[in-house]
Amino acid sequence: MVQNILKQIWNKRRSNGWILVELILVTYFMWIVIDPVYVLLSNRAIPQRYDIQNVFRLNMAEYAENHSKYNEAFATDSLRKISFLHIYQLVKQYPGIEAAVVTLDSQYPLSPSTNSTTMQYDTLKAGALQMNYYKDGEFFKVFRIKDISSGEIPDSRNELDRVVYLADNLSGKLFPEENAINKNVFRKRKNDSIYYRVAGIVSNFKFRSTEQPYAAAFYPSIFKLEDLPWGAQICFRIRDDVSKAAFIEKFKQELAPQLAIGNLYFLQLTDFEMILKKSEFS
């Protein structure tokens, strides 16, 4: 019986060979399709660990030199910064806003690009997503990022010393066998080593919904004058009991005209849920 089966297979080896080739090709192309879909769905299933509901991004711009409202007296880096931070204070104090923060481009959730660095502790090194925000900003409160130990939202403001908050996975790479809190980590910049005291460990940070969580480092800092307004934006959260549609309309009618300070003016207010949709389809 077995000999007859083998003989038939051998006699039909040419047609069987084509069937084998077809099976291999089908398997290959199915894997090409299924593998990225599986990775995408697996990544989406990982908890985001931050909340963008009721969060907005405010972008400012500067009048061109030939614009009727352009004032050359305000066309210096220092005055641009003063104007921008005045706008920031107006936004923070506006009714309905729960928390606000100034972030740099590529250093807020769902940004179109990223900014990375290398963090070090003793001889250990780890690549990290770099998240800079202005020193008095409530970054964690805006995005509701929580401390891994307490489950509470840590106070991310710091105007006194140089501190950093590490995502849990970055802390594990730099401190595999010890507590990172109050330890000093550093990163290289040109010929200098910049040291930071670890002020807290926060939950793992998934920068985009379709990706794995990044090892991230969060710094409250003072921005360079030339970063404002082009390289920065104001992110803020409105209270949960505030109607989003009513807030947007009122914001544009009442506050937006007041944000024309110096040579700066209101450019755009974007809901983070729209930023999420754009991020997923880009």
Side-chain angles (χ1 to χ4, degrees), residues 211-259:
E211 298 176 346
Q212 293 276 325
Y214 283 31
F218 305 84
Y219 319 84
S221 62
I222 301 175
F223 296 162
K224 297 177 183 176
L225 294 178
E226 58 267 27
D227 288 329
L228 305 172
W230 305 283
Q233 51 279 308
I234 299 169
C235 298
F236 64 86
R237 168 178 292 279
I238 62 173
R239 296 197 319 268
D240 291 340
D241 62 346
V242 173
S243 164
K244 186 183 290 187
F247 175 86
I248 293 171
E249 184 177 355
K250 190 176 179 183
F251 184 98
K252 290 181 177 179
Q253 288 180 355
E254 291 186 353
L255 186 61
Q258 299 177 42
L259 302 183

Side-chain angles (χ1 to χ4, degrees), residues 188-206:
K188 297 282 188 180
R189 189 167 66 184
K190 295 182 179 179
N191 297 322
D192 294 331
S193 295
I194 306 172
Y195 283 84
Y196 301 86
R197 178 180 61 83
V198 179
I201 310 299
V202 297
S203 54
N204 287 337
F205 183 73
K206 197 166 72 163

Side-chain angles (χ1 to χ4, degrees), residues 93-109:
Q93 296 163 13
Y94 188 67
I97 291 180
E98 181 179 301
V101 63
V102 179
T103 61
L104 286 180
D105 278 350
S106 74
Q107 300 189 37
Y108 60 90

